[in-house]
Amino acid sequence: MCGIVGYIGKEQVAPILLEGLSRLEYRGYDSAGVAVYSEKEGGLVVKKTKGRLQVLSDVLQGGAALDGTVGIGHTRWATHGAPSDVNSHPQVSRSGRIAVVHNGIIENYVELKAFLIDKGVPFVSETDTEVVAQLVEYFYKGDILQAVYESLHLIEGAYALGILCADAPDQLIAVRKDNPMILGYGDGFNFMASDVTAVIKYTRDVVYMDNGELAILTRDGIQCYNSMMQPVEKEISRVDWEIDAAEKGGYEHFMFKEIMEQPDALRHAIFPRIRDGEVFFENFGLDEDYIRRMDKIYIVACGSSYHVGMVGKYNIERLLRRPVEVALASEFRYMDPILTDHTLVIVISQSGETLDSMAALREAKRLGATVLSIVNVVGSSIARESDVVLYTWAGPEIAVATTKAYSTQLAVLDLLALHFARVLGTIELGEYRATLDEFLLLPGKLETVLADRDQVQYLASQYFNHSSVFFIGRNLDYAMGLEGSLKLKEISYIHSEAYASGELKHGTISLIEDGTLVFALGTCGRLFEKAMSNVVEVKARGADVLAVTTESRREAMARTADAVMTIPDTCDMLLPSLGIAHLQLFAYYVALMRGCDIDKPRNLAKSVTVE
Ligand code: M6R
């Protein structure tokens, strides 16, 4: 939710911190700040401002206004205390000697604050993070690492911390518990950061810190410690993607770039996983015996990843004849789920750091289930704590509104369903092979859908000023509508709802009146007639209907709908993978026409690491 970057080296640190923060801004963008050790000043210089990173960058003249070669920076998504200069990070101890940047939530900050106030410590901000800075100073007797270590015994919650002490300007301290922190290794310099994107310009050699670990960074090296302060040797991983993957590359918005990247992302996710006419998962940890004993599948996720699960439920139940439950991760952990040793829990997450999903994963494991995760970010917490991981290989996704991660999650989940069906013998060989052929054609078919974007842009120009939109469909179309509706509301701020079409008549149809915009999703062939009946019903009540269907049904749909967007015909299970592109593009163009900040929608952040 917040972004942290820290650097120690020989270069001027402020421009490096600003550059790193610019790559982390997707994690939170309501304020930003840096703390730098300045020899000239003989102490820490802290600059922080409310608003986007650009405001801070202007104040710092792009970094030129600050002198120093070691520092920490932060971009914030407010939890405790409104966005303001004083609530921005770094938070500083009362003497100004210790600066802290934090991602996460200190759950017992009220008690700790009361304890410190009782000891005469004054507080200036409303943040939970200031408690950390003050507590470390409270324990500080000349050894900053020891003071941090003692403080951690009292702190409860989730945190990634970056700490700089004016008395020890040749080192930085990084701490990680339940929020991400990576360490970047350079020649004469080292980094800490919330995410690889912040350091990739300087180094590809990274370490993913584990829970409870601390690290001391100097110019010459990094030493990691476990939660008992015993030194640990960490394996250095080499990042294998290029910096351009995290840049706009000529596109106006990351979201549009990522929409257009979907065919290639699907190629990466699918092609290596189909070999000799079979689904193939490398180092797959679920053997055939386990798959045969599986009594139930739970899919647990948040937001768009949850919508992938909704599509998956329809596909898996149809193919496997095994029950599938889809649960919102934030509900799952408190709903006392019924799991057995034979229940497979599938956790889906782009970031691999979503706290609700992480907590659900741990609950599932505690209850004895096997956890398989479908994750995009390599080395993320969810990936590391799962029994089995399938990566989506979509590359870095920067826009807050997910697109290519959604598509690749769906493809991987569908492949998994096919694999299970093959092992269980619930699919005929002919259908299995034909479906795999369709998988191989999917990226090319998606390219043709995206090539039709002018039509979607035109429709967006006709309807962008509507204040309420309905997405209706049955079965897979309903599941796809959930995602279409979320895309529209999160970036354009238009109220929208997705409904199972058959449910409209049980109440919601009373909202349909002259000019209400309805997206009618009718791609599922076997339910097309039913979909048409619902289109007729809403048309009869005055709705403007934009429809999505397959090429073979365009004509039938066009008799009633006001406009029809089509997708190439394909097997049922892949219809949402094509149809969603029209809905993503519609949301994008509407937001563009409404002048919204598409990549950084209000109140949101890419990686949601608070409960
Ligand atoms: O990283 P995750 O997939 O776990 O994130 C889950 C949701 O926060 C995420 O899908 C969110 O709904 C997106 N902003 C939707 O575009």
Side-chain angles (χ1 to χ4, degrees), residues 307-519:
H307 296 154
V308 169
M310 289 295 288
V311 176
K313 174 184 167 69
Y314 288 111
N315 283 335
I316 300 172
E317 286 190 337
R318 187 185 66 77
L319 279 172
L320 267 59
R321 310 313 302 154
R322 290 274 200 288
V324 178
E325 285 199 46
V326 192
L328 291 164
S330 53
E331 290 293 310
F332 179 87
R333 60 187 299 201
Y334 301 115
M335 70 195 229
D336 202 4
I338 303 167
L339 308 179
T340 71
D341 294 357
H342 302 312
T343 306
L344 177 66
V345 174
I346 301 178
V347 177
I348 306 178
S349 175
Q350 187 286 130
S351 61
E353 301 293 349
T354 302
L355 195 70
D356 288 324
S357 304
M358 188 69 214
L361 179 158
R362 288 181 181 161
E363 177 67 359
K365 288 186 87 170
R366 192 183 70 77
L367 294 171
T370 299
V371 176
L372 177 152
S373 62
I374 298 178
V375 175
N376 192 36
V377 177
V378 174
S380 56
S381 305
I382 290 176
R384 281 185 296 160
E385 290 197 25
S386 303
D387 299 302
V388 182
V389 190
L390 294 176
Y391 283 112
T392 46
W393 298 325
E397 191 182 64
I398 309 292
V400 166
T402 181
T403 51
K404 65 176 179 174
Y406 171 91
S407 298
T408 50
Q409 286 167 350
L410 194 49
V412 172
L413 186 60
D414 286 342
L415 279 173
L416 188 67
L418 266 188
H419 175 64
F420 286 168
R422 176 93 166 111
V423 172
L424 295 173
T426 52
I427 189 168
E428 297 286 331
L429 186 60
E431 187 190 344
Y432 175 74
R433 291 268 151 81
T435 310
L436 286 182
D437 287 347
E438 278 302 317
F439 265 95
L440 295 173
L441 296 175
L442 184 67
K445 289 188 177 181
L446 185 58
E447 262 158 8
T448 66
V449 178
L450 294 171
D452 264 355
R453 60 187 179 277
D454 285 358
Q455 183 202 9
V456 185
Q457 185 169 21
Y458 170 75
L459 291 171
S461 75
Q462 301 303 295
Y463 292 100
F464 73 95
N465 53 9
H466 276 53
S467 56
S468 184
V469 180
F470 288 86
F471 290 78
I472 62 169
R474 288 170 189 262
N475 200 270
L476 289 169
D477 284 319
Y478 164 54
M480 175 170 80
L482 290 169
E483 176 60 5
S485 171
L486 177 61
K487 282 284 86 70
L488 186 67
K489 63 188 130 192
E490 77 181 314
I491 60 168
S492 74
Y493 317 141
I494 295 176
H495 168 253
S496 91
E497 292 186 47
Y499 262 87
S501 322
E503 187 62 14
L504 274 185
K505 58 185 176 292
H506 298 290
T508 315
I509 201 162
S510 63
L511 292 172
I512 307 289
E513 57 186 10
D514 265 354
T516 305
L517 182 58
V518 174
F519 252 88

Side-chain angles (χ1 to χ4, degrees), residues 64 69 99 215 292 348 488 521 590:
T69 56
R292 287 196 193 95
I348 306 178
L488 186 67
L521 308 173
V590 165

